[in-house]
Amino acid sequence: FRDTRWGMSKNQVFELEGESSHQEKSYGLETIRYRKKAIGLECSIEFIFAGNKLIKAKYIFLEQHKHESQYIGDYKKIKDWLTERHGMPLGSNVTWRNDLYKEDYSDWGLAVSLGHLEYSCLWKNQEMEIFLTLSGENNKLSLCAEYKGLRIKK
């Protein structure tokens, strides 16, 4: 994830990313957060530690658009970028929970924002898994790429 490796300490991540303006502890995990751009999109980048070892990281995309359908374009851009770097995903899903807007592609962004439609992809190798999702509810959209280390050295 970026230039980090799974199992790195917080100080090692600070050396690569700089000091974080936001740190929090919850349920035995510690999170440090940065606000930067990734793949040309505004995002929050989170590094999650257990026992001072990096175990997870996330891109939470914060880009604001006038039309909900533009978030689907962002999802596809990120999916293409991840596919370029990690190969074809193991799974790629478009899940309809409510078919109300299914027949009109121009309303699919609205369908996502209402929780009617969700996009997701999964990549996995020996070192990590990556889960990309575009989902929503109550007229709010969430676009996130979560990386999880699978073989953390103790």
Side-chain angles (χ1 to χ4, degrees):
F1 184 82
R2 298 173 67 81
D3 290 327
T4 63
R5 290 181 319 282
W6 304 117
M8 277 185 154
S9 70
K10 280 191 313 180
N11 286 338
Q12 289 172 310
V13 173
F14 288 149
E15 286 176 24
L16 292 170
E17 296 285 341
E19 285 293 321
S20 169
S21 60
H22 182 85
Q23 297 182 43
E24 65 185 53
K25 290 183 180 182
S26 176
Y27 301 105
L29 300 176
E30 193 163 354
T31 302
I32 58 175
R33 188 174 295 129
Y34 299 88
R35 183 133 182 187
K36 297 185 178 189
K37 280 197 172 212
I39 319 164
L41 301 169
E42 197 66 39
C43 65
S44 174
I45 300 171
E46 295 184 355
F47 294 90
I48 301 154
F49 300 84
N52 198 31
K53 291 186 184 292
L54 180 62
I55 61 164
K56 268 189 201 174
K58 296 180 186 180
Y59 289 113
I60 301 168
F61 294 92
L62 305 172
E63 202 74 23
Q64 296 293 309
H65 295 296
K66 188 174 181 177
H67 301 286
E68 291 98 345
S69 60
Q70 291 174 287
Y71 293 94
I72 296 171
D74 289 348
Y75 173 87
K76 290 177 180 177
K77 177 181 179 179
I78 297 161
K79 180 182 175 187
D80 290 346
W81 180 78
L82 287 168
T83 299
E84 213 173 90
R85 297 188 70 174
H86 303 286
M88 292 301 292
L90 289 179
S92 183
N93 298 303
V94 176
T95 306
W96 285 92
R97 292 185 173 82
N98 181 324
D99 292 346
L100 181 63
Y101 297 103
K102 191 173 187 176
E103 300 305 315
D104 188 355
Y105 179 77
S106 66
D107 285 333
W108 284 19
L110 174 61
V112 172
S113 77
L114 296 172
H116 295 190
L117 172 61
E118 180 177 286
Y119 289 81
S120 62
C121 273
L122 173 69
W123 290 262
K124 190 173 184 177
N125 62 34
Q126 291 180 343
E127 300 297 321
M128 69 181 159
E129 65 181 21
I130 304 165
F131 193 56
L132 174 65
T133 58
L134 173 62
S135 60
E137 65 181 344
N138 300 324
N139 291 317
K140 297 214 186 293
L141 289 109
S142 172
L143 179 54
C144 179
E146 181 174 292
Y147 293 62
K148 181 179 177 185
L150 297 177
R151 297 188 331 184
I152 312 293
K153 293 179 182 168
K154 302 231 178 203

